[in-house]
Amino acid sequence: MHTWPSAHRRPPRRTRGTRTRTTARLTASLLTAAALLISACSAGGSTTSAGGTVEAALAALPRSTPSALAPYYSQTLKWRDCGAPGFQCATLKAPLDYDKPGAGDIRLAVARKKATGKARPIGSLLVNPGGPGGSAVDYLQQYAGIGYPADVRARYDMVAMDPRGVARSEPVKCLGGRQMDAYTQTDMTPDDQKERDAVVTADKKFAESCGAHSARLLRHVSTVEAARDMDILRAVLGDQKLNYVGASYGTFLGATYAGLFPERVGRVVLDGAMDPSLDARRLNLDQTAGFETAFQAFAKDCVKHTDCPLGGKGTTPAQVGEHLKAFFRKLDAHPIPAGDKDGRKLGESLATTGVIAAMYDEATWEQLREALGQAMRDNDGSGLLALSDSYYERDGNGGYSNLMMANAAVNCLDLPPAFSGPDQVRKALPAFDKASPVFGDGLAWASLNCAYWPVEATGEPHRIEAKGAAPIVVVGTTRDPATPYRWAQSLSRQLSSARLLTYVGDGHTAYGRGSTCIDTAINTYLLRGTPPAAGKRCS
């Protein structure tokens, strides 16, 4: 348990009911989940925050395309069948290093589904599920291209591109399957010096492996570079402006694009927004509080059900949390069988990941109650292990997607590390424990992961104003665990043309998750260009 992705592919809430479907939905929910650290680079003017610190503002790039980049902007995509009915795939070339365009290319995977309606398409609608590290191509083929509202799919060519270093786009490679198994089982609530050393060793081994296997890529997977890739794609697709829906980390990617190319902003939706003005430690601390908020909501719901293993009617959320912590302590001392063919048992780290995975979507709470009941009453950790494996994108053969590897690579390049070493983590533990009595310790130690990264960060905290951009819709959910609502509020204040759309409810992100109010507002904006009224709230 080291980094916490912040979104993932989600089927619509209203279409999921059975336990089997809920399992599939969680796997989907986690395709946007991806990482608490967010960041960027590029300087511009600066502003002074209320706290007195100076925050650089992301500067727009020149409107004219540099001659050295002209070949990329004028390339022609060669579309081909890619195995999914109705979808086409292609490969986009971009410069590996925008400062040295002649030094080599990077090849980026693109997919599309042509507009289904007879009317002239509005243009392309680029989608990104978040992460960093989530596959946008998978998201398009498994959800957006078939699950977005029919009216939207009728008027737009639905398009996705795996960002550099992700999935099909020259993926960052680090640890192998068995090594990842060991990494995900690292004890993230160390009780003594030996266990603290083990956390450091695990993080160093992960970082060294990424450096050994992906040295060419690690300096060139920043969010700013990925946003510049998106502009090449926009031009190659023949669109004058970028239309875009980004979830979670995808909001940071979309906001970065708007900051770099404000005059090219079309209809842009940023759902489950990140706050680019915060440093890594604050982002991790805020997200820790977000998971606590979600857990409190789960706890209140759990005790209403007779199968809740953490307490019954009258049990307070604080007591539910203490019961869960006591269970975690037992697992720390004595992991339990999980029916895993590779011999893994359910220890504290994997169990914590399983619980946190279920916080992304309240439709998964029933599954979590069952999994906890299996583990606490029957000494069977298989349910929680399945939740954890879905989160990490571990398949039945013991292989992992590159989600967590790309996640670290982007985050550690985008922002300086939250902590430089274990002593800083120990000093910060009281603040993290206050933010979340249940998850604080583990999330504080998980925040150490970038301290030993083999390349230095190129980004820094900054504001994104995107002056001159068309209206941008920023969506925030009041009890979002992975992207706290305050981040959406902050981003909407930074962006000069933002409209904040609020969903009063639970879960990570809001669009396509069951709120007719939210969906109608976003669909109207995408189809007619009319943003929601200022301050609009839905429940």
Side-chain angles (χ1 to χ4, degrees), residues 458-519:
T458 58
E460 61 184 8
H462 59 273
R463 294 173 56 81
I464 299 179
E465 298 170 355
K467 293 180 180 178
I472 296 171
V473 176
V474 176
V475 188
T477 297
T478 56
R479 293 187 293 278
D480 191 314
T483 52
Y485 180 61
R486 69 173 68 178
W487 291 357
Q489 291 175 303
S490 177
L491 182 61
S492 68
R493 288 192 295 265
Q494 293 172 46
L495 292 169
S496 62
S497 62
R499 293 286 181 89
L500 177 62
L501 175 62
T502 299
Y503 175 60
V504 181
D506 297 294
H508 183 43
T509 71
Y511 184 44
R513 300 189 69 247
S515 169
T516 300
C517 175
I518 289 289
D519 291 354

Coordinates of all heavy atoms in Angstrom, one line a residue, residues 458-519:
T458 N 10.5 17.8 -11.6 CA 10.6 18.9 -12.5 C 9.4 19.9 -12.3 O 9.5 21.0 -12.8 CB 10.5 18.5 -14.0 OG1 9.3 17.8 -14.2 CG2 11.7 17.7 -14.4
G459 N 8.4 19.5 -11.5 CA 7.3 20.4 -11.2 C 7.3 21.0 -9.8 O 8.2 20.7 -9.0
E460 N 6.3 21.8 -9.6 CA 6.2 22.5 -8.3 C 4.7 22.9 -8.1 O 4.0 22.9 -9.1 CB 7.1 23.7 -8.2 CG 6.7 24.8 -9.3 CD 7.6 26.0 -9.2 OE1 8.6 25.9 -8.5 OE2 7.3 26.9 -9.9
P461 N 4.3 23.1 -6.9 CA 2.9 23.6 -6.7 C 2.7 24.9 -7.5 O 3.5 25.7 -7.5 CB 2.7 23.7 -5.2 CG 3.8 22.9 -4.6 CD 5.0 23.0 -5.6
H462 N 1.5 25.1 -8.1 CA 1.2 26.3 -8.8 C -0.3 26.5 -9.0 O -1.0 25.5 -8.9 CB 1.9 26.3 -10.2 CG 1.5 25.1 -11.0 ND1 2.1 23.9 -10.9 CD2 0.5 25.0 -11.9 CE1 1.5 23.1 -11.8 NE2 0.5 23.7 -12.4
R463 N -0.7 27.7 -9.2 CA -2.1 27.9 -9.6 C -2.2 27.8 -11.1 O -1.3 27.9 -11.9 CB -2.4 29.4 -9.2 CG -2.4 29.6 -7.7 CD -2.7 31.1 -7.4 NE -3.9 31.6 -8.0 CZ -5.1 31.4 -7.5 NH1 -5.2 30.8 -6.4 NH2 -6.2 31.9 -8.1
I464 N -3.5 27.4 -11.5 CA -3.8 27.4 -12.9 C -5.0 28.4 -13.1 O -6.1 28.1 -12.6 CB -4.2 26.0 -13.4 CG1 -3.0 25.0 -13.2 CG2 -4.6 26.0 -14.9 CD1 -3.2 23.6 -13.6
E465 N -4.8 29.4 -13.9 CA -5.8 30.4 -14.1 C -6.4 30.3 -15.5 O -7.6 30.6 -15.6 CB -5.2 31.8 -13.9 CG -4.6 32.0 -12.5 CD -3.8 33.2 -12.4 OE1 -3.6 33.9 -13.4 OE2 -3.4 33.5 -11.2
A466 N -5.7 29.9 -16.5 CA -6.2 29.7 -17.9 C -7.0 30.9 -18.3 O -8.2 30.8 -18.8 CB -7.1 28.4 -17.9
K467 N -6.4 32.1 -18.2 CA -7.2 33.3 -18.6 C -7.5 33.3 -20.1 O -6.6 33.1 -20.9 CB -6.3 34.5 -18.2 CG -6.1 34.7 -16.7 CD -5.3 36.0 -16.4 CE -5.1 36.1 -14.9 NZ -4.2 37.3 -14.5
G468 N -8.7 33.6 -20.4 CA -9.2 33.7 -21.8 C -9.8 32.4 -22.2 O -10.3 32.3 -23.4
A469 N -9.8 31.3 -21.4 CA -10.5 30.1 -21.7 C -12.0 30.2 -21.7 O -12.6 31.0 -21.0 CB -10.0 29.0 -20.8
A470 N -12.6 29.4 -22.6 CA -14.1 29.2 -22.5 C -14.5 28.6 -21.2 O -13.7 28.1 -20.5 CB -14.5 28.3 -23.7
P471 N -15.8 28.7 -20.9 CA -16.2 28.2 -19.6 C -15.8 26.7 -19.4 O -16.0 25.9 -20.3 CB -17.8 28.3 -19.7 CG -18.0 29.4 -20.6 CD -16.9 29.3 -21.6
I472 N -15.3 26.4 -18.2 CA -14.9 25.1 -17.8 C -15.7 24.6 -16.6 O -15.9 25.4 -15.6 CB -13.4 25.1 -17.4 CG1 -12.5 25.5 -18.6 CG2 -13.0 23.7 -16.8 CD1 -11.0 25.7 -18.2
V473 N -16.3 23.4 -16.7 CA -17.1 22.9 -15.6 C -16.3 22.1 -14.7 O -15.7 21.1 -15.1 CB -18.3 22.1 -16.1 CG1 -19.1 21.5 -15.0 CG2 -19.2 23.0 -17.0
V474 N -16.2 22.5 -13.4 CA -15.5 21.8 -12.3 C -16.5 21.1 -11.5 O -17.4 21.8 -11.0 CB -14.6 22.7 -11.5 CG1 -13.9 22.0 -10.4 CG2 -13.5 23.4 -12.4
V475 N -16.4 19.8 -11.3 CA -17.3 19.0 -10.5 C -16.7 18.5 -9.2 O -15.6 17.9 -9.2 CB -17.9 17.8 -11.3 CG1 -19.0 17.1 -10.6 CG2 -18.3 18.3 -12.7
G476 N -17.4 18.7 -8.1 CA -16.9 18.2 -6.8 C -18.0 17.5 -6.1 O -19.1 17.9 -6.1
T477 N -17.6 16.4 -5.4 CA -18.5 15.6 -4.6 C -18.2 15.8 -3.1 O -17.0 15.7 -2.7 CB -18.4 14.1 -4.9 OG1 -18.8 13.9 -6.3 CG2 -19.3 13.2 -4.0
T478 N -19.2 16.1 -2.3 CA -18.9 16.6 -0.9 C -18.2 15.6 0.0 O -17.5 16.0 0.9 CB -20.2 17.1 -0.3 OG1 -21.2 16.0 -0.3 CG2 -20.8 18.3 -1.0
R479 N -18.5 14.3 -0.3 CA -17.8 13.3 0.5 C -16.9 12.4 -0.3 O -16.9 11.2 -0.1 CB -18.9 12.5 1.3 CG -19.6 13.3 2.4 CD -20.5 12.5 3.2 NE -21.6 11.9 2.5 CZ -22.8 12.6 2.2 NH1 -22.9 13.8 2.6 NH2 -23.8 12.0 1.6
D480 N -16.3 13.0 -1.3 CA -15.4 12.2 -2.1 C -14.1 11.8 -1.3 O -13.5 12.7 -0.7 CB -14.9 13.1 -3.3 CG -14.2 12.3 -4.4 OD1 -13.3 11.6 -4.1 OD2 -14.5 12.5 -5.6
P481 N -13.8 10.5 -1.3 CA -12.6 10.1 -0.5 C -11.3 10.4 -1.1 O -10.3 10.7 -0.4 CB -12.8 8.6 -0.4 CG -13.5 8.2 -1.7 CD -14.4 9.4 -2.0
A482 N -11.1 10.4 -2.4 CA -9.8 10.5 -3.1 C -9.5 11.9 -3.5 O -8.3 12.3 -3.6 CB -9.8 9.5 -4.3
T483 N -10.5 12.7 -3.9 CA -10.3 14.1 -4.3 C -11.3 14.9 -3.4 O -12.4 15.2 -3.9 CB -10.5 14.3 -5.8 OG1 -11.8 13.7 -6.1 CG2 -9.5 13.6 -6.6
P484 N -10.9 15.3 -2.3 CA -11.8 16.0 -1.3 C -12.4 17.2 -2.0 O -11.8 17.9 -2.8 CB -10.9 16.4 -0.2 CG -9.8 15.4 -0.2 CD -9.5 15.1 -1.7
Y485 N -13.6 17.5 -1.6 CA -14.4 18.6 -2.2 C -13.7 19.9 -2.1 O -13.9 20.7 -3.1 CB -15.8 18.7 -1.4 CG -16.7 19.8 -1.9 CD1 -17.2 19.7 -3.2 CD2 -17.1 20.8 -1.1 CE1 -18.0 20.7 -3.7 CE2 -18.0 21.8 -1.5 CZ -18.4 21.8 -2.8 OH -19.3 22.7 -3.3
R486 N -12.9 20.2 -1.1 CA -12.2 21.5 -1.0 C -11.3 21.7 -2.2 O -11.0 22.8 -2.6 CB -11.4 21.6 0.3 CG -10.2 20.7 0.4 CD -9.4 20.9 1.6 NE -10.1 20.6 2.8 CZ -9.6 20.7 4.0 NH1 -8.4 21.1 4.2 NH2 -10.3 20.3 5.1
W487 N -10.8 20.6 -2.8 CA -10.0 20.7 -4.0 C -10.7 21.3 -5.2 O -10.2 22.1 -5.9 CB -9.3 19.4 -4.4 CG -8.3 18.9 -3.4 CD1 -7.9 19.5 -2.3 CD2 -7.6 17.6 -3.5 NE1 -6.9 18.7 -1.6 CE2 -6.8 17.5 -2.3 CE3 -7.7 16.5 -4.3 CZ2 -6.0 16.4 -2.1 CZ3 -6.9 15.4 -4.1 CH2 -6.0 15.4 -3.0
A488 N -12.0 20.8 -5.4 CA -12.8 21.3 -6.4 C -13.1 22.8 -6.2 O -13.1 23.6 -7.2 CB -14.1 20.5 -6.5
Q489 N -13.4 23.1 -5.0 CA -13.6 24.5 -4.7 C -12.4 25.4 -5.0 O -12.6 26.5 -5.6 CB -14.0 24.7 -3.2 CG -15.3 24.1 -2.8 CD -15.6 24.1 -1.3 OE1 -14.8 23.6 -0.5 NE2 -16.7 24.8 -0.9
S490 N -11.2 24.9 -4.6 CA -10.0 25.7 -4.9 C -9.7 25.8 -6.4 O -9.4 26.9 -6.9 CB -8.8 25.0 -4.2 OG -7.6 25.7 -4.5
L491 N -9.9 24.7 -7.1 CA -9.6 24.8 -8.6 C -10.6 25.7 -9.2 O -10.2 26.5 -10.1 CB -9.6 23.4 -9.2 CG -9.3 23.3 -10.7 CD1 -7.9 23.8 -11.0 CD2 -9.5 21.9 -11.2
S492 N -11.8 25.7 -8.8 CA -12.8 26.5 -9.4 C -12.5 28.0 -9.2 O -12.9 28.9 -10.0 CB -14.2 26.2 -9.0 OG -14.4 26.5 -7.6
R493 N -11.9 28.3 -8.1 CA -11.5 29.7 -7.8 C -10.3 30.1 -8.6 O -10.2 31.3 -8.9 CB -11.2 29.9 -6.3 CG -12.5 29.8 -5.4 CD -12.2 30.3 -4.0 NE -11.3 29.4 -3.3 CZ -11.6 28.4 -2.5 NH1 -12.9 28.2 -2.3 NH2 -10.7 27.7 -1.9
Q494 N -9.4 29.2 -8.9 CA -8.2 29.5 -9.7 C -8.5 29.7 -11.1 O -8.1 30.7 -11.7 CB -7.2 28.3 -9.6 CG -6.6 28.1 -8.2 CD -5.8 26.9 -8.1 OE1 -5.0 26.6 -9.0 NE2 -6.0 26.1 -7.0
L495 N -9.3 28.8 -11.7 CA -9.6 28.9 -13.2 C -10.5 30.1 -13.4 O -11.6 30.3 -12.8 CB -10.3 27.6 -13.7 CG -9.4 26.4 -13.7 CD1 -10.3 25.2 -13.9 CD2 -8.4 26.5 -14.8
S496 N -10.1 31.0 -14.3 CA -10.8 32.2 -14.5 C -12.2 32.1 -15.1 O -13.1 32.9 -14.9 CB -10.0 33.1 -15.5 OG -9.8 32.5 -16.8
S497 N -12.5 30.9 -15.8 CA -13.8 30.8 -16.4 C -14.5 29.6 -15.8 O -15.5 29.1 -16.4 CB -13.6 30.5 -17.9 OG -12.8 29.4 -18.1
A498 N -14.2 29.1 -14.6 CA -14.8 27.9 -14.1 C -16.2 28.1 -13.5 O -16.5 29.2 -13.0 CB -13.9 27.4 -12.9
R499 N -17.0 27.1 -13.7 CA -18.3 27.0 -13.0 C -18.2 25.7 -12.1 O -18.0 24.6 -12.6 CB -19.4 26.8 -14.0 CG -19.6 28.0 -14.9 CD -20.3 29.1 -14.2 NE -20.6 30.3 -15.1 CZ -21.7 30.4 -15.8 NH1 -22.6 29.5 -15.8 NH2 -21.8 31.5 -16.6
L500 N -18.4 25.9 -10.8 CA -18.4 24.8 -9.9 C -19.8 24.1 -9.8 O -20.8 24.7 -9.6 CB -18.0 25.2 -8.5 CG -18.0 24.2 -7.4 CD1 -17.0 23.1 -7.7 CD2 -17.7 24.8 -6.1
L501 N -19.8 22.8 -10.1 CA -21.0 22.0 -10.0 C -20.8 21.0 -8.9 O -19.8 20.2 -8.9 CB -21.2 21.2 -11.3 CG -22.4 20.2 -11.4 CD1 -23.7 20.9 -11.2 CD2 -22.4 19.5 -12.7
T502 N -21.7 21.0 -7.9 CA -21.5 20.3 -6.6 C -22.5 19.1 -6.6 O -23.7 19.3 -6.8 CB -21.7 21.2 -5.4 OG1 -20.7 22.2 -5.4 CG2 -21.5 20.4 -4.1
Y503 N -22.0 17.9 -6.2 CA -22.8 16.8 -5.9 C -22.7 16.5 -4.4 O -21.6 16.3 -3.9 CB -22.4 15.5 -6.7 CG -23.2 14.3 -6.3 CD1 -24.5 14.3 -6.5 CD2 -22.5 13.2 -5.7 CE1 -25.3 13.2 -6.1 CE2 -23.3 12.1 -5.4 CZ -24.6 12.1 -5.5 OH -25.4 11.0 -5.2
V504 N -23.8 16.6 -3.7 CA -23.9 16.4 -2.3 C -24.1 14.9 -2.1 O -25.2 14.4 -2.2 CB -25.0 17.2 -1.6 CG1 -25.0 17.0 -0.1 CG2 -24.8 18.7 -1.9
G505 N -23.0 14.2 -1.8 CA -23.2 12.7 -1.7 C -21.9 12.0 -1.5 O -20.8 12.7 -1.1
D506 N -21.9 10.7 -1.7 CA -20.7 9.9 -1.4 C -20.1 9.4 -2.7 O -20.7 9.5 -3.8 CB -21.2 8.6 -0.6 CG -21.7 9.0 0.8 OD1 -20.9 9.5 1.6 OD2 -22.9 8.8 1.0
G507 N -18.9 8.9 -2.6 CA -18.2 8.3 -3.8 C -17.3 9.2 -4.5 O -17.2 10.4 -4.2
H508 N -16.5 8.6 -5.3 CA -15.5 9.3 -6.1 C -16.0 9.7 -7.5 O -16.3 8.8 -8.3 CB -14.2 8.5 -6.2 CG -13.1 9.1 -6.8 ND1 -12.7 10.4 -6.6 CD2 -12.2 8.7 -7.8 CE1 -11.6 10.8 -7.3 NE2 -11.3 9.7 -8.0
T509 N -16.0 11.0 -7.7 CA -16.5 11.6 -9.0 C -18.0 11.5 -9.0 O -18.7 10.8 -8.2 CB -15.9 11.0 -10.2 OG1 -16.4 9.7 -10.4 CG2 -14.4 11.0 -10.2
A510 N -18.7 12.2 -10.0 CA -20.1 12.3 -10.0 C -20.8 12.0 -11.3 O -21.9 11.5 -11.3 CB -20.5 13.7 -9.5
Y511 N -20.2 12.3 -12.4 CA -20.8 12.1 -13.7 C -21.0 10.6 -14.0 O -20.1 9.8 -13.9 CB -19.9 12.8 -14.8 CG -20.5 12.7 -16.2 CD1 -21.9 13.1 -16.4 CD2 -19.7 12.4 -17.3 CE1 -22.4 13.1 -17.7 CE2 -20.3 12.4 -18.6 CZ -21.6 12.8 -18.8 OH -22.1 12.8 -20.1
G512 N -22.2 10.3 -14.5 CA -22.6 8.9 -14.8 C -22.7 8.0 -13.7 O -22.6 6.8 -13.8
R513 N -22.9 8.5 -12.5 CA -23.0 7.7 -11.3 C -24.4 7.7 -10.6 O -24.5 7.3 -9.5 CB -21.9 8.0 -10.3 CG -20.5 7.9 -10.9 CD -19.4 8.1 -9.8 NE -19.4 6.9 -8.9 CZ -19.8 7.0 -7.6 NH1 -20.2 8.2 -7.1 NH2 -19.7 6.0 -6.9
G514 N -25.4 8.1 -11.4 CA -26.8 8.0 -10.9 C -27.5 9.2 -10.6 O -28.7 9.2 -10.3
S515 N -26.9 10.4 -10.6 CA -27.5 11.7 -10.3 C -28.0 12.3 -11.6 O -27.3 12.7 -12.4 CB -26.6 12.6 -9.6 OG -27.2 13.9 -9.6
T516 N -29.4 12.3 -11.8 CA -30.0 12.9 -13.0 C -29.6 14.3 -13.1 O -29.4 14.9 -14.1 CB -31.5 12.7 -12.9 OG1 -31.8 11.3 -12.9 CG2 -32.1 13.3 -14.2
C517 N -29.6 15.0 -11.9 CA -29.2 16.4 -11.9 C -27.8 16.7 -12.4 O -27.6 17.6 -13.3 CB -29.4 16.9 -10.4 SG -28.9 18.6 -10.1
I518 N -26.9 15.9 -11.9 CA -25.5 16.1 -12.4 C -25.4 15.7 -13.9 O -24.8 16.5 -14.7 CB -24.5 15.2 -11.6 CG1 -24.4 15.7 -10.2 CG2 -23.2 15.1 -12.3 CD1 -23.6 17.0 -10.0
D519 N -25.9 14.6 -14.3 CA -25.8 14.2 -15.6 C -26.5 15.1 -16.6 O -25.9 15.4 -17.7 CB -26.4 12.8 -15.8 CG -25.6 11.7 -15.1 OD1 -24.5 12.0 -14.6 OD2 -26.1 10.5 -15.1

